[in-house]
Amino acid sequence: MLDFRIHTFLCVCRHMNYTRAAAELHITQPAVSQHIRYLEREYGTKLFSYKGKHLQLTQAGHILWNAVTAISHDDAILKEHLRDLQHNRSLSFGATPTAGVGILDKLADLLKHNDDMNLRMEIADAEKLLQSLDDGAIDFAIVESSFDQGRYESLLFSNEPIVAVCGTGYEAP
């Protein structure tokens, strides 16, 4: 279970605005400031700075954000797995449209051999899926586009050729 101040930190990171974070969390803006000050004292470093009027994460803030998003995701998965012990098995993932179509036969086979499994599949662009992954809404994502590999663990699922098609009479530049 994550400390409520960590949830405040993540909310401020999402909005990059103390007032909007306070509104989402249904607390006062001074309470948000106190939560962030507590974390800064706890970790001994500044987590946010202002560039002009724009709030931004410091290097230490980025490190904390990376760590707590991973912990938050792990916490969500743990809770889901504990619930699944009482009911059945479930898996939540996302895929970009092209990748999603490419794995439908594998999903059908998985479900055929695991009739007690629940699958939830989110189809969206890679940016939305990575946000869902950060938020802990999905367990993993299958994408065919590039992403910051320093932020996510990844493995190659499939290597497919790309075929370019054009109309007759098209002359390449």
Side-chain angles (χ1 to χ4, degrees):
M1 177 185 300
L2 292 174
D3 185 275
F4 64 94
R5 290 166 285 228
I6 293 294
H7 289 290
T8 300
F9 171 76
L10 290 171
C11 191
V12 173
C13 289
R14 261 192 315 281
H15 295 288
M16 280 302 161
N17 183 294
Y18 282 57
T19 304
R20 282 190 225 128
E24 179 182 323
L25 296 169
H26 305 289
I27 60 176
T28 65
Q29 187 274 327
V32 170
S33 297
Q34 287 177 350
H35 293 180
I36 299 304
R37 276 195 304 276
Y38 172 87
L39 292 172
E40 289 176 336
R41 282 192 309 274
E42 179 71 18
Y43 293 109
T45 187
K46 294 290 282 175
L47 300 173
F48 294 98
S49 64
Y50 280 94
K51 186 172 187 177
K53 293 184 178 186
H54 298 285
L55 189 64
Q56 61 185 18
L57 279 170
T58 62
Q59 184 178 8
H62 279 285
I63 292 169
L64 180 63
W65 182 84
N66 282 330
V68 297
T69 52
I71 293 167
S72 177
H73 180 254
D74 291 348
D75 183 54
I77 289 173
L78 174 61
K79 288 175 183 173
E80 185 175 323
H81 288 300
L82 293 174
R83 278 191 305 271
D84 290 346
L85 285 174
Q86 299 171 5
H87 300 92
N88 55 21
R89 299 181 299 158
S90 69
L91 188 61
S92 179
F93 70 99
T96 53
T98 304
V101 168
I103 63 165
L104 289 177
D105 57 333
K106 291 173 180 60
L107 291 175
D109 191 46
L110 176 69
L111 289 173
K112 193 182 312 175
H113 293 93
N114 298 280
D115 60 355
D116 64 338
M117 178 174 270
N118 290 321
L119 283 181
R120 187 181 79 77
M121 180 176 172
E122 177 180 341
I123 300 290
D125 63 42
E127 185 177 321
K128 169 76 171 89
L129 293 174
L130 294 175
Q131 183 61 52
S132 292
L133 197 58
D134 290 340
D135 294 343
I138 58 176
D139 298 316
F140 66 93
I142 300 172
V143 298
E144 75 274 358
S145 59
S146 61
F147 58 91
D148 182 358
Q149 293 189 4
R151 284 187 53 201
Y152 303 95
E153 290 183 41
S154 64
L155 59 91
L156 181 63
F157 179 74
S158 179
N159 197 0
E160 304 297 329
I162 296 177
V163 178
V165 179
C166 63
T168 56
Y170 177 79
E171 291 185 28

